[in-house]
Amino acid sequence: MSGNGFGHTFRFTTFGESHGPAIGCVIDGVPPLLKLSEADIQPWLDQRKPGQNRFTTQRQEADQVRILSGVFEGVTTGTSIGLLIENTDQRSKDYGDIKDTYRPGHADWVYEQKYGIRDYRGGGRSSARETAMRVAVGAVARVLLNTLAPGIVIRGAMVQMGPHCIDPGRWDWDSRAANPFWCPDAETVPVWETFLDGVRKAGSSAGGIVEVTASGVPVGLGAPVYDKLDADLAKAMMSINAVKGVEIGAGFLAAQLSGEDNADEMRMGADGKVHFLSNNAGGILGGISTGQDIVLRLAVKPTSSILTPKKSVDRHGAEIEVITKGRHDPCVAIRAVPVAEAMMAVTIADHLLRQRGQCAAS
Amino acid sequence: MSGNGFGHTFRFTTFGESHGPAIGCVIDGVPPLLKLSEADIQPWLDQRKPGQNRFTTQRQEADQVRILSGVFEGVTTGTSIGLLIENTDQRSKDYGDIKDTYRPGHADWVYEQKYGIRDYRGGGRSSARETAMRVAVGAVARVLLNTLAPGIVIRGAMVQMGPHCIDPGRWDWDSRAANPFWCPDAETVPVWETFLDGVRKAGSSAGGIVEVTASGVPVGLGAPVYDKLDADLAKAMMSINAVKGVEIGAGFLAAQLSGEDNADEMRMGADGKVHFLSNNAGGILGGISTGQDIVLRLAVKPTSSILTPKKSVDRHGAEIEVITKGRHDPCVAIRAVPVAEAMMAVTIADHLLRQRGQCAAS
Amino acid sequence: MSGNGFGHTFRFTTFGESHGPAIGCVIDGVPPLLKLSEADIQPWLDQRKPGQNRFTTQRQEADQVRILSGVFEGVTTGTSIGLLIENTDQRSKDYGDIKDTYRPGHADWVYEQKYGIRDYRGGGRSSARETAMRVAVGAVARVLLNTLAPGIVIRGAMVQMGPHCIDPGRWDWDSRAANPFWCPDAETVPVWETFLDGVRKAGSSAGGIVEVTASGVPVGLGAPVYDKLDADLAKAMMSINAVKGVEIGAGFLAAQLSGEDNADEMRMGADGKVHFLSNNAGGILGGISTGQDIVLRLAVKPTSSILTPKKSVDRHGAEIEVITKGRHDPCVAIRAVPVAEAMMAVTIADHLLRQRGQCAAS
Amino acid sequence: MSGNGFGHTFRFTTFGESHGPAIGCVIDGVPPLLKLSEADIQPWLDQRKPGQNRFTTQRQEADQVRILSGVFEGVTTGTSIGLLIENTDQRSKDYGDIKDTYRPGHADWVYEQKYGIRDYRGGGRSSARETAMRVAVGAVARVLLNTLAPGIVIRGAMVQMGPHCIDPGRWDWDSRAANPFWCPDAETVPVWETFLDGVRKAGSSAGGIVEVTASGVPVGLGAPVYDKLDADLAKAMMSINAVKGVEIGAGFLAAQLSGEDNADEMRMGADGKVHFLSNNAGGILGGISTGQDIVLRLAVKPTSSILTPKKSVDRHGAEIEVITKGRHDPCVAIRAVPVAEAMMAVTIADHLLRQRGQCAAS
């Protein structure tokens, strides 16, 4: 297989290019009897949808999802679920001028080296267009989790844009709804607005750091040794376009801590359950969920689609300078937030089903 | 499957606990006609072996590997390769006193929650003992790479211990051999020695950051969209005990760069081939190797096996304080270096074979 | 995963129910640069299409396939291929009366036991409607084989209908085109016509035996020990609706032969290559293709959709008698022929790519 | 991967050659808390063991199995289980004379074609020696089934040797113990004895047909569409050395039946459960277990290791005549019985765990 799928027991495989007729996927492994309809998926797609404000690409996609199978009279049947989204706003002519050129920082050149051909229209298969399907599958995973393990809440936020960090002390999940950045710190919003307006007007781009958390995850998910929950999450996140780093809990900072400071101590709670006094582990120990919040961060690079000329080469081996016109995001990290949430949801859903398949003799 | 294997076309599955009779693995997918013997594997195990200086655990393991199958008259036959290492220095009695206690920061508690049982002797399956088998498989992967894609060099180094970083300007791969830290900067060695002696004497522990590079990797390895080379590397590294973060190329720093600064420009080399003028991508674009050095870093937390009492609970729900005696590494990041090298080797080997299986019509 | 996919390196996953809006699939692992268009697929679908004569179900499906991705400017790009066929002639009302009844010999009852729900319209996911997608994927596999291993010819024929066998001595592949039964023996055609007309008029059904051969398969395909080529073919064939038996080469007859009579002797051909003097092995030894014709047969049971009342139960536990109206095939073995051909093609394509991924060091 | 593993959720991978130092495997996916020791495995190995009477090869193997991991204080821990059997009676010199010759009907020639090398000692990896490990894994699967789905009984018998069939009317499972053929019909035993003595003295060999049944299997196992329970069983059985055909229930005979005669009617039993009035389906409908006995048969060819000279070629392209000395079974079907039982057990165990991982909401 050439790598277009993810997951084991909850497994999905996607297809579709940026400027082809449609994108879609098959989800295999959804248990039966879950209530599911397009209305469970569409709102998440609408959130991710481009063109909603001046800080994301102006491409206009309806992103209307259709469930083609696996649901009967409003509930899942246990058979494979086909999802389809027609592409409606492909302007392939925008990309005709990059047919023969390789954009620096894009996958153009390596795709051609690997495959001997590339669909140059909008990045083809390497386009972030594919992430719409991740969000759709993520919505199905949320339905699964809500039914089989109620109480799990998966949320993402942007915590750094370019050099500008939020103040974690002002974190308020609800404030995300009031700004176009998934920013959980209202006071940082105007800073980012000013910064990103400048980036956009300069034809440049900015990177960012996204944090995703999952609360209410049951203890015991994760399959050591190689399919540790954090290992699978790292793969899930690193597979998102433009992501260059992933960390769990204390992450890279843990390298500087002493064993005393890093260890999360345990105490018995008033509820008779084990509680942890800190969460440097990010909710995962030995690859297995502890029941604490799973906390991870991903670093997103600035897109290379910029208006400043950059040195490159063309298909004929000539040295050229490239600028990338078209409709691009000045900060792709913004739209990575719902995608990262979706990948968190599918990874947890997969491990939830895996755990059920391995449960103990009683 | 419960997660004890890694890879697709080059796939291995390991078994064994810290204090069981033996650890071992099966490697499935090694092509035939590779010259292979125990002598290709043993030196890498000897490098990783504990007890070689005061900065690693004093457990003494011969770590003698035996090839049980898949090799005939000195070459691989294309059939599955069984590897076995007998455990010889298990002192299980060292661990009797943690039978009923959960060490903070260890997998003790979650294993018992997940499985309803745990092999408490030395961490059982969650022990870093398992990584010996990763190193052995990594050695086989190196043989494969040396034969099928000669010129690949995979090397790791520690670049930060606790708060002390190396100076990248003084990087010298050869200097690693002269110190017990895989340190590529000779001037940093005494700093780390002093620091780690202090940590060790205090019964504490330190974290670290490891960098692994692969030079000479062919262009075109990696299987978008989900099995991107960097996604699989992220999983490979995050699956190593105590790793809390992974980054590729510019990594988390990329979040702060502008699109102009981050893009790796391309030019035609005197050799008629495309060359990159920088390597913020870390050798991977769109999930596919570019032919540049693959560069990744992993953050290793300090082990929780320390002599300072930490709050915990026991199997009976009593609140206790735990100190962890036994033979432990003051800085487990040191021994993570050869393990990370091995995981780099197996991931590249897997994708090399995958690429061969997908190669173009001609 | 819940089992809706097949293959490893060439892997496809299907979705869709008999009476849903569409059926489709994703094929992952097709190498780049193969010439491919709908015109390569449609003729095979047309062959399988129902309603073409009085011996198959009168359901009328256009079965127009669309390629939604993975092909650019007429050639494959190495990315996943999405295929879609809209269902156009669903008459769900035909099935309203079986909503609460379990047809004997059908999957109705076990689906409801397994999933707690079933899409009763036309059998839902258990319907042979799904096999249209197998035929479409088989057509893609044929393109792959024609390009990467030219000279492979895969053909199927029906060799027994009910109690009536063909005479192998009269075998003529070309004669298949002149009858609706894929019958390779022109003299048997009128026998089957008379027989099946009687079966049809009686509201009964008949079984059959299908033989599929693959000529020109390269030596060396197949992955012992468990993924033997014949083991994978057996799975492929047994996964087809209504198949109850599979045999390779001499098959069940081999049980009666002596070692002397069964062994296929070898001699050097005038072309300097090894030739076999017989083919009891059916082209596979030790799970690996020998270069001889691969020959297998599958037994197809008579469909249980008949007009004779049969004892059954309903959803409420009442004992009932069931007859199955609707548009059914009197002999489903007929339409199994192109499906079996397709599964032969995909299995060989998968092993061809697997073999390329495991090829020897040179 | 090169095909040395079987199963999904209960998955094992084997290694080892006929004349290497050892054979072994890793089982991944066994749930925790099952009571397991070598004493659960050894009796099944002893049953299969060669050299116990004049009708099987005179090779003497102790076949002592060791559990190397995954079991602690007598119960499984949920981690991977390593099994090892040392080879003790390899007489490689017996095979020196076939180093350069290809035995007709054996895998010698295709292995060399595929891999460019073969371990000629006793067939190397293609030897039935590997089946000892299948029997060992089958024993673990039985423990799993006995605990998680008590009441399943898996039994095999030989029902035809060469041309001599048993009388099904005299079937008595208990009578198997009193003869060396797994024959369930005491009156047939002397017929087979006489027949096989003749075969053996003539230096010839005979084939046979084996029937395996599983009683007490829960309703609902099997994962349509491609991983149907019967499809996976067909693969499991066809992967056994020398098997040339597999059929379920009525099998090839079903092709001759009418729809009326083939359909298994249903009635409500006195116990309030659905009962079937016949079992032409062999316990599987639509790929899903019905709760009836699963019944399958496999055809085993006569071994090609015979004393009659047969035409062949050698490595240098010379035409030769080959006789195969050594210690061989005159009827390998006998020893296929426990192997087929084992493969039935592992396939059902895998699907039992898969079903648990897909179970319904609520």
Side-chain angles (χ1 to χ4, degrees):
Chain A
M1 72 195 94
S2 68
N4 292 285
F6 187 83
H8 285 83
T9 302
F10 179 94
R11 180 169 180 83
F12 64 98
T13 312
T14 73
F15 65 86
E17 284 84 44
S18 177
H19 289 63
I23 60 175
C25 75
V26 192
I27 315 176
D28 202 0
V30 178
L33 301 180
L34 306 177
K35 286 187 190 176
L36 181 70
S37 75
E38 280 90 349
D40 295 303
I41 305 174
Q42 196 61 50
W44 301 100
L45 284 166
D46 293 344
Q47 275 193 349
R48 174 204 162 278
K49 207 164 59 175
Q52 305 194 97
N53 60 61
R54 70 183 185 278
F55 300 115
T56 56
T57 169
Q58 294 307 298
R59 178 170 176 168
Q60 299 288 341
E61 281 292 351
D63 276 358
Q64 285 292 327
V65 69
R66 288 171 65 205
I67 298 175
L68 296 180
S69 69
V71 175
F72 182 59
E73 298 183 341
V75 296
T76 57
T77 60
T79 63
S80 49
I81 296 176
L83 300 180
L84 196 76
I85 297 174
E86 309 269 348
N87 287 331
T88 58
D89 189 33
Q90 319 99 299
R91 294 195 205 157
S92 300
K93 63 182 179 307
D94 282 1
Y95 296 94
D97 54 350
I98 60 164
K99 180 179 174 180
D100 293 321
T101 67
Y102 302 122
R103 293 169 297 169
H106 276 280
D108 301 341
W109 181 74
V110 286
Y111 263 66
E112 193 144 329
Q113 293 296 310
K114 179 181 181 71
Y115 295 116
I117 183 177
R118 76 186 156 107
D119 179 347
Y120 52 79
R121 302 166 304 165
R125 183 70 180 148
S126 72
S127 164
R129 178 92 192 106
E130 190 268 347
T131 60
M133 204 41 66
R134 300 185 188 222
V135 170
V137 179
V140 176
R142 286 178 191 267
V143 168
L144 186 159
L145 294 174
N146 288 344
T147 311
L148 300 186
I152 297 178
V153 178
I154 295 169
R155 290 180 295 200
M158 199 152 85
V159 297
Q160 182 177 329
M161 180 189 289
H164 304 288
C165 301
I166 64 157
D167 179 342
R170 293 192 298 248
W171 193 294
D172 173 13
W173 282 111
D174 294 336
S175 71
R176 292 183 309 162
N179 70 77
F181 304 122
W182 305 95
C183 181
D185 168 14
E187 293 185 35
T188 294
V189 173
V191 180
W192 287 1
E193 275 181 341
T194 304
F195 170 73
L196 199 56
D197 267 330
V199 165
R200 191 170 53 86
K201 286 170 186 163
S204 182
S205 64
I209 295 180
V210 171
E211 181 166 317
V212 188
T213 68
S215 304
V217 176
V219 183
L221 304 192
V225 172
Y226 293 94
D227 294 349
K228 287 183 164 88
L229 182 55
D230 41 355
D232 277 349
L233 285 168
K235 173 168 177 164
M237 299 301 160
M238 198 69 97
S239 78
I240 301 172
N241 311 49
V243 172
K244 301 303 289 183
V246 183
E247 60 179 14
I248 311 276
F252 275 85
L253 182 65
Q256 301 183 32
L257 299 178
S258 69
E260 289 77 14
D261 291 342
N262 183 66
D264 299 316
E265 298 185 296
M266 292 183 274
R267 275 294 174 247
M268 298 306 297
D271 57 357
K273 293 183 180 170
V274 168
H275 283 246
F276 290 88
L277 306 184
S278 57
N279 190 13
N280 287 312
I284 300 173
L285 278 172
I288 301 172
S289 62
T290 64
Q292 289 189 285
D293 284 3
I294 294 176
V295 181
L296 65 78
R297 277 171 301 282
L298 39 145
V300 184
K301 72 174 184 181
T303 175
S304 307
S305 297
I306 52 177
L307 293 179
T308 306
K310 298 296 288 183
K311 294 173 185 162
S312 187
V313 299
D314 69 12
R315 295 186 63 192
H316 314 294
E319 300 193 332
I320 57 174
E321 301 231 311
V322 171
I323 64 169
T324 307
K325 296 174 197 165
R327 301 162 295 176
H328 298 292
D329 292 278
C331 179
V332 289
I334 300 172
R335 287 175 61 215
V337 175
V339 180
E341 285 181 351
M343 294 307 291
M344 175 76 90
V346 299
T347 308
I348 293 174
D350 186 34
H351 274 283
L352 183 74
L353 296 185
R354 288 179 71 166
Q355 173 65 359
R356 293 174 135 224
Q358 300 287 166
C359 48
S362 53
Chain B
M1 70 196 94
S2 66
N4 292 285
F6 187 84
H8 284 83
T9 303
F10 178 94
R11 180 169 181 85
F12 64 97
T13 311
T14 72
F15 65 86
E17 284 84 44
S18 177
H19 289 64
I23 60 175
C25 75
V26 192
I27 315 176
D28 201 1
V30 178
L33 301 180
L34 306 176
K35 287 187 189 174
L36 181 70
S37 74
E38 279 91 349
D40 295 302
I41 305 174
Q42 196 61 50
W44 302 99
L45 284 167
D46 293 345
Q47 275 193 349
R48 174 202 161 280
K49 207 164 59 175
Q52 305 193 99
N53 60 62
R54 70 182 184 277
F55 299 114
T56 57
T57 169
Q58 294 308 299
R59 178 170 174 166
Q60 299 287 342
E61 280 292 352
D63 275 358
Q64 285 292 328
V65 68
R66 289 171 65 203
I67 298 175
L68 295 181
S69 69
V71 174
F72 181 60
E73 297 183 343
V75 296
T76 57
T77 60
T79 63
S80 50
I81 296 176
L83 299 180
L84 196 76
I85 297 175
E86 309 267 349
N87 286 331
T88 56
D89 190 32
Q90 318 101 296
R91 295 195 205 158
S92 300
K93 62 182 180 307
D94 283 2
Y95 295 94
D97 52 351
I98 59 164
K99 179 179 175 181
D100 294 320
T101 67
Y102 303 123
R103 293 168 297 169
H106 277 280
D108 301 341
W109 181 74
V110 285
Y111 263 66
E112 192 144 329
Q113 294 295 311
K114 180 181 181 71
Y115 295 116
I117 184 178
R118 75 185 156 106
D119 179 347
Y120 52 78
R121 301 166 303 166
R125 184 68 179 149
S126 73
S127 164
R129 178 92 192 106
E130 190 269 347
T131 61
M133 204 42 66
R134 299 184 188 223
V135 170
V137 178
V140 176
R142 286 178 191 268
V143 168
L144 186 159
L145 293 173
N146 288 345
T147 311
L148 300 185
I152 297 178
V153 177
I154 295 169
R155 289 180 294 200
M158 198 152 84
V159 297
Q160 183 177 329
M161 180 188 290
H164 304 288
C165 300
I166 65 156
D167 179 343
R170 293 192 299 250
W171 193 294
D172 174 13
W173 284 111
D174 293 336
S175 71
R176 292 183 308 162
N179 68 77
F181 304 122
W182 304 94
C183 181
D185 167 14
E187 293 186 36
T188 294
V189 172
V191 179
W192 288 1
E193 274 181 341
T194 305
F195 170 74
L196 200 55
D197 268 329
V199 165
R200 190 170 53 86
K201 286 170 185 162
S204 182
S205 64
I209 295 180
V210 171
E211 181 167 317
V212 188
T213 68
S215 304
V217 176
V219 184
L221 304 192
V225 173
Y226 294 93
D227 295 349
K228 287 184 165 86
L229 183 55
D230 39 356
D232 277 349
L233 285 169
K235 174 168 177 163
M237 298 302 160
M238 199 68 98
S239 78
I240 300 172
N241 311 47
V243 171
K244 300 303 290 182
V246 183
E247 60 178 14
I248 311 277
F252 275 85
L253 183 64
Q256 301 183 31
L257 298 178
S258 69
E260 288 77 13
D261 290 342
N262 183 64
D264 300 316
E265 298 186 296
M266 292 182 273
R267 275 292 175 251
M268 298 305 298
D271 56 359
K273 295 183 179 169
V274 169
H275 283 246
F276 291 88
L277 305 184
S278 56
N279 190 13
N280 286 313
I284 300 173
L285 278 171
I288 301 172
S289 62
T290 65
Q292 289 189 284
D293 283 3
I294 294 175
V295 181
L296 65 78
R297 277 171 301 282
L298 40 144
V300 184
K301 72 174 184 182
T303 176
S304 307
S305 298
I306 52 178
L307 294 179
T308 306
K310 300 295 289 183
K311 293 173 186 163
S312 187
V313 298
D314 69 11
R315 296 185 61 192
H316 314 294
E319 299 193 332
I320 56 173
E321 300 231 315
V322 171
I323 64 169
T324 308
K325 297 174 197 166
R327 302 161 296 177
H328 299 291
D329 292 277
C331 179
V332 287
I334 300 171
R335 289 175 59 215
V337 174
V339 180
E341 285 181 350
M343 293 307 291
M344 174 76 91
V346 298
T347 307
I348 294 173
D350 186 33
H351 274 283
L352 182 74
L353 296 185
R354 288 179 71 165
Q355 172 66 358
R356 293 173 135 222
Q358 301 288 167
C359 47
S362 54
Chain C
M1 71 195 92
S2 66
N4 292 285
F6 187 84
H8 285 82
T9 302
F10 178 94
R11 181 170 180 82
F12 65 97
T13 313
T14 72
F15 65 84
E17 283 85 44
S18 177
H19 288 65
I23 59 175
C25 76
V26 192
I27 315 176
D28 202 0
V30 178
L33 301 180
L34 306 177
K35 286 187 191 175
L36 181 69
S37 74
E38 279 90 350
D40 295 302
I41 305 174
Q42 196 61 50
W44 301 99
L45 284 166
D46 293 345
Q47 275 194 350
R48 174 202 162 278
K49 208 164 58 174
Q52 305 193 99
N53 59 61
R54 71 184 185 277
F55 299 115
T56 57
T57 168
Q58 294 307 300
R59 178 169 174 167
Q60 299 288 341
E61 281 291 352
D63 275 358
Q64 285 293 327
V65 69
R66 289 172 64 205
I67 298 175
L68 295 180
S69 69
V71 174
F72 182 59
E73 298 183 341
V75 296
T76 57
T77 60
T79 63
S80 49
I81 296 175
L83 300 180
L84 196 76
I85 297 175
E86 308 269 348
N87 286 333
T88 57
D89 188 32
Q90 318 100 298
R91 295 195 204 157
S92 300
K93 63 181 180 306
D94 282 2
Y95 295 95
D97 53 350
I98 59 163
K99 180 179 175 181
D100 293 319
T101 65
Y102 303 122
R103 294 168 296 170
H106 276 280
D108 301 341
W109 180 74
V110 286
Y111 264 66
E112 192 143 328
Q113 293 295 310
K114 180 181 181 72
Y115 295 117
I117 184 177
R118 76 187 155 106
D119 179 347
Y120 53 79
R121 301 166 304 166
R125 183 68 178 150
S126 72
S127 164
R129 177 91 191 110
E130 191 269 347
T131 60
M133 204 42 66
R134 301 184 187 222
V135 170
V137 178
V140 176
R142 285 178 191 269
V143 168
L144 187 159
L145 293 174
N146 288 344
T147 311
L148 301 185
I152 296 178
V153 177
I154 295 169
R155 289 179 294 201
M158 199 152 84
V159 298
Q160 183 177 330
M161 180 188 290
H164 304 288
C165 301
I166 64 157
D167 179 341
R170 294 192 299 248
W171 193 293
D172 174 12
W173 283 112
D174 294 335
S175 72
R176 292 184 308 161
N179 70 76
F181 304 122
W182 306 94
C183 180
D185 167 15
E187 293 186 36
T188 294
V189 172
V191 179
W192 289 359
E193 274 180 342
T194 304
F195 170 73
L196 201 55
D197 268 329
V199 165
R200 191 169 53 85
K201 287 170 185 163
S204 182
S205 63
I209 296 181
V210 171
E211 181 166 317
V212 189
T213 68
S215 303
V217 175
V219 183
L221 304 192
V225 176
Y226 294 94
D227 295 349
K228 288 183 164 86
L229 183 55
D230 40 355
D232 278 348
L233 285 169
K235 173 168 177 165
M237 299 302 158
M238 199 69 97
S239 78
I240 300 173
N241 310 48
V243 172
K244 300 304 290 181
V246 183
E247 60 178 13
I248 311 277
F252 275 85
L253 182 64
Q256 302 183 31
L257 298 178
S258 70
E260 289 76 15
D261 290 341
N262 183 66
D264 299 315
E265 298 187 295
M266 293 183 274
R267 274 294 175 248
M268 298 306 297
D271 57 359
K273 294 182 180 170
V274 168
H275 283 247
F276 290 88
L277 305 185
S278 56
N279 190 14
N280 287 313
I284 301 174
L285 278 172
I288 301 172
S289 63
T290 64
Q292 288 189 286
D293 283 3
I294 294 176
V295 180
L296 64 79
R297 276 171 301 281
L298 40 144
V300 183
K301 72 174 184 183
T303 176
S304 307
S305 298
I306 51 178
L307 293 179
T308 306
K310 298 297 286 184
K311 293 174 186 163
S312 186
V313 299
D314 69 12
R315 295 185 63 194
H316 314 294
E319 300 194 332
I320 56 174
E321 300 231 312
V322 171
I323 64 169
T324 308
K325 297 173 196 166
R327 302 162 295 178
H328 298 291
D329 292 277
C331 179
V332 290
I334 300 171
R335 288 175 61 215
V337 174
V339 179
E341 285 182 352
M343 294 307 292
M344 175 76 91
V346 300
T347 307
I348 294 174
D350 186 35
H351 274 283
L352 183 74
L353 297 184
R354 288 179 72 164
Q355 172 66 357
R356 292 174 136 223
Q358 301 286 167
C359 48
S362 53
Chain D
M1 71 196 93
S2 67
N4 293 285
F6 187 85
H8 284 83
T9 302
F10 178 94
R11 181 169 179 84
F12 64 97
T13 312
T14 72
F15 66 84
E17 283 84 44
S18 177
H19 289 63
I23 60 175
C25 76
V26 192
I27 315 176
D28 202 0
V30 178
L33 302 179
L34 306 177
K35 286 187 190 175
L36 182 68
S37 74
E38 279 91 349
D40 295 302
I41 305 174
Q42 196 61 51
W44 301 99
L45 284 166
D46 293 345
Q47 274 193 351
R48 175 203 160 279
K49 208 165 58 176
Q52 306 193 98
N53 59 60
R54 71 184 183 278
F55 299 115
T56 57
T57 169
Q58 294 307 300
R59 179 170 174 167
Q60 299 287 342
E61 281 291 352
D63 275 358
Q64 284 293 326
V65 68
R66 287 172 64 204
I67 298 175
L68 296 180
S69 68
V71 175
F72 182 58
E73 298 184 341
V75 295
T76 57
T77 61
T79 63
S80 49
I81 296 175
L83 299 181
L84 196 75
I85 297 174
E86 309 268 349
N87 286 332
T88 57
D89 188 32
Q90 318 99 299
R91 295 195 205 156
S92 298
K93 62 182 181 305
D94 282 1
Y95 295 95
D97 52 350
I98 60 164
K99 179 179 176 181
D100 294 319
T101 66
Y102 302 123
R103 294 168 296 169
H106 276 279
D108 301 342
W109 180 75
V110 286
Y111 263 66
E112 192 143 329
Q113 293 295 310
K114 180 180 182 73
Y115 295 116
I117 183 176
R118 76 185 155 108
D119 179 348
Y120 53 79
R121 301 166 304 167
R125 183 67 179 150
S126 73
S127 164
R129 177 93 192 107
E130 191 269 347
T131 60
M133 204 43 66
R134 300 184 188 222
V135 170
V137 178
V140 175
R142 285 177 191 269
V143 168
L144 187 159
L145 293 174
N146 288 344
T147 311
L148 300 185
I152 296 178
V153 177
I154 295 169
R155 289 179 294 202
M158 199 152 85
V159 297
Q160 183 177 331
M161 180 189 290
H164 304 288
C165 301
I166 64 157
D167 179 342
R170 293 192 299 249
W171 193 293
D172 173 13
W173 283 111
D174 293 335
S175 71
R176 292 184 308 162
N179 69 78
F181 304 123
W182 305 94
C183 181
D185 168 15
E187 293 186 35
T188 294
V189 172
V191 180
W192 288 1
E193 274 180 341
T194 304
F195 170 72
L196 200 55
D197 268 328
V199 166
R200 190 169 54 85
K201 285 170 186 163
S204 182
S205 63
I209 295 180
V210 171
E211 181 167 317
V212 188
T213 68
S215 304
V217 175
V219 183
L221 304 193
V225 176
Y226 295 93
D227 294 349
K228 288 184 165 85
L229 183 55
D230 40 356
D232 277 350
L233 285 170
K235 174 167 175 163
M237 298 303 159
M238 199 69 98
S239 78
I240 300 172
N241 311 47
V243 172
K244 301 304 289 182
V246 183
E247 60 179 13
I248 311 278
F252 275 85
L253 182 64
Q256 302 183 30
L257 298 178
S258 69
E260 288 77 13
D261 290 341
N262 184 64
D264 299 315
E265 299 187 295
M266 293 182 272
R267 274 294 175 249
M268 298 306 298
D271 57 359
K273 294 182 180 171
V274 168
H275 283 246
F276 290 88
L277 305 185
S278 57
N279 190 13
N280 287 312
I284 300 174
L285 278 171
I288 302 173
S289 62
T290 64
Q292 287 189 285
D293 283 4
I294 295 175
V295 181
L296 65 77
R297 277 171 300 281
L298 40 144
V300 184
K301 72 174 184 182
T303 176
S304 308
S305 298
I306 50 178
L307 293 179
T308 305
K310 299 297 288 182
K311 294 174 186 164
S312 186
V313 299
D314 70 12
R315 295 186 61 193
H316 314 293
E319 300 193 333
I320 57 174
E321 300 231 314
V322 171
I323 64 168
T324 308
K325 296 174 196 166
R327 302 162 294 177
H328 299 292
D329 292 278
C331 179
V332 289
I334 301 170
R335 288 176 61 215
V337 175
V339 179
E341 285 182 352
M343 294 307 291
M344 174 76 91
V346 299
T347 306
I348 294 174
D350 186 34
H351 274 282
L352 182 75
L353 296 184
R354 289 180 71 165
Q355 173 66 358
R356 292 174 135 223
Q358 300 286 168
C359 47
S362 72

